[in-house]
Amino acid sequence: MLKVENISVHTDSFRLKNISFSIAPGEYVVLAGPSGAGKTMLLETLAGHRKPKGGNILLNDKNLTQYSADKRPFTLLFQELALFPHLNVAENIGFAIRDKNKQAIIKDLASQFSITNHLTKKIYHLSGGEKQRVALARALATKPDVLLLDEPLTSLDKPVKNELIRILFRLNQQGQTIIHVTHDVHEAINLADKTGIMQNGELTQFCSPRELIKNPGNYFTASFLDYENILPLNGLEIPEKYNPSAYAYIAFNSKNIKPGKQSGKLQITGTLIQRPSGQMWLESALGLIKIQEADHYGIHDGQQTTISIDYHDILFLTS
């Protein structure tokens, strides 16, 4: 079990603030957020490349916080891969191996990652996908308890990305614990056992992908998850039983919108706007609302209409 307890890191221009989460052995965790959220800094701290200002990092109840990077059973694979251009593939994979069976380990890893035919090649002769596989093989050569991945799928074309995802799934199924950071919300939802959302140096949410989608909690997370409609709550008539004073925004998807005025539901009036693609929007006093196709409403571009949303289909968000 990996436990991160109130980790804080200070630099001249940025702070990680009281990051806490726990990961069971064999879990695949994806930490997502925009550039500058502190994701890479957190990985560097876990790996021992940065010293925290406060907090603890424990693995199986052993406190690793003061351990140097070479004493931690973690491997960090940077986005840039950091392969050695003057070494061939086999030498890159075996760089950190101190085992007497070094050559057998290199051959086994090369076989796992389908790079056996490239062992004598220099790095500059490899494709982007081949470099990724070499870097992963090297990262796993020391058999880390936790594999830390910094944006591993960025800038890869779709076939190469899909192949790398297959490899990562296979590693995880074999029991490898993985922490993977990304700015791509789809990676966070589709790959992870647990997903964390980072914003401005804080871990604002940490839960299963299903729970994250069901309850994003705040405006930032809902926006990051690309919810179709997010509106300020101020000015809307919301029944007191939903405790509207505790929230600042609401979110809902177009599939939950019903045409016309329907009793007992939230009603919003506005003017229809139809784009050349056929997509319809409602221009309301609260902002634009994405709705279903025009024929669902039986009216046309420029006409005024009212939509209704069941309160049970609305997410209430903090700011």
Side-chain angles (χ1 to χ4, degrees):
M1 174 75 75
L2 173 65
K3 293 182 180 179
V4 178
E5 299 178 341
N6 297 311
I7 284 293
S8 296
V9 180
H10 296 179
T11 68
D12 291 340
S13 58
F14 190 80
R15 293 189 175 191
L16 281 182
K17 308 162 193 170
N18 300 317
I19 304 292
S20 295
F21 60 90
S22 61
I23 302 173
E27 283 193 317
Y28 196 132
V29 170
V30 178
L31 302 176
S35 297
K39 305 183 299 296
T40 299
M41 181 181 286
L42 177 57
L43 287 190
E44 291 171 345
T45 305
L46 294 177
H49 299 304
R50 289 181 182 271
K51 288 188 176 181
K53 186 77 172 178
N56 293 296
I57 301 166
L58 298 99
L59 184 66
N60 300 325
D61 295 324
K62 185 176 184 179
N63 196 327
L64 306 180
T65 312
Q66 301 305 319
Y67 282 40
S68 60
D70 62 313
K71 300 297 183 183
R72 299 189 188 195
F74 302 159
T75 298
L76 171 55
L77 178 54
F78 286 101
Q79 183 177 347
E80 297 81 10
L81 303 182
L83 293 169
F84 301 118
H86 63 290
L87 301 181
N88 65 26
V89 169
E91 292 165 338
N92 266 278
I93 295 172
F95 184 79
I97 299 174
R98 300 293 179 261
D99 193 285
K100 63 181 181 179
N101 297 315
K102 178 174 180 175
Q103 294 307 315
I105 294 170
I106 291 171
K107 288 180 180 179
D108 180 58
L109 285 166
S111 176
Q112 286 186 49
F113 289 95
S114 302
I115 49 177
T116 300
N117 294 336
H118 304 302
L119 284 174
T120 60
K121 292 182 181 178
K122 290 293 180 67
I123 298 304
Y124 51 79
H125 288 307
L126 303 179
S127 68
E130 289 163 350
K131 290 177 183 177
Q132 285 278 0
R133 282 182 276 159
V134 172
L136 267 173
R138 186 181 67 178
L140 292 167
T142 55
K143 300 180 180 179
D145 287 348
V146 182
L147 179 61
L148 308 172
L149 303 175
D150 185 15
E151 299 275 6
L153 304 178
T154 298
S155 303
L156 299 177
D157 59 34
K158 193 168 183 63
V160 174
K161 181 181 291 188
N162 287 342
E163 173 61 16
L164 189 56
I165 289 172
R166 185 188 68 80
I167 291 170
L168 293 174
F169 278 159
R170 187 186 71 217
L171 289 172
N172 184 236
Q173 288 167 350
Q174 293 170 351
Q176 179 66 58
T177 304
I178 297 173
I179 302 178
H180 164 155
V181 306
T182 181
H183 64 274
D184 187 331
V185 66
H186 300 291
E187 291 178 30
I189 297 300
N190 295 325
L191 303 184
D193 297 313
K194 289 181 181 175
T195 300
I197 300 297
M198 293 192 66
Q199 177 190 14
N200 297 329
E202 297 184 49
L203 184 65
T204 60
Q205 204 153 347
F206 189 78
C207 56
S208 70
R210 180 173 294 183
E211 177 61 23
L212 186 68
I213 294 170
K214 183 179 178 182
N215 183 25
N218 60 37
Y219 176 86
F220 171 81
T221 303
S223 299
F224 188 69
L225 293 173
D226 203 24
Y227 263 83
E228 289 181 322
N229 296 301
I230 304 175
L231 301 174
L233 195 148
N234 187 34
L236 292 173
E237 294 184 9
I238 306 292
E240 282 300 321
K241 67 178 181 179
Y242 296 104
N243 194 22
S245 62
Y247 303 98
Y249 296 89
I250 61 169
F252 53 89
N253 287 321
S254 60
K255 67 180 182 180
N256 299 124
I257 297 173
K258 307 299 181 186
K261 296 181 179 180
Q262 297 191 13
S263 178
K265 298 181 179 181
L266 176 63
Q267 298 176 9
I268 302 174
T269 298
T271 303
L272 280 179
I273 300 174
Q274 183 172 10
R275 302 304 301 150
S277 64
Q279 177 60 55
M280 294 295 295
W281 299 81
L282 185 76
E283 185 178 20
S284 74
L286 299 167
L288 284 174
I289 299 172
K290 185 178 181 181
I291 61 178
Q292 297 181 12
E293 300 294 332
D295 55 8
H296 188 74
Y297 289 80
I299 56 178
H300 306 289
D301 183 46
Q303 292 186 274
Q304 195 169 68
T305 189
T306 298
I307 60 172
S308 299
I309 309 103
D310 193 305
Y311 291 108
H312 295 295
D313 292 325
I314 294 173
L315 295 173
F316 292 88
L317 308 171
T318 58
S319 57

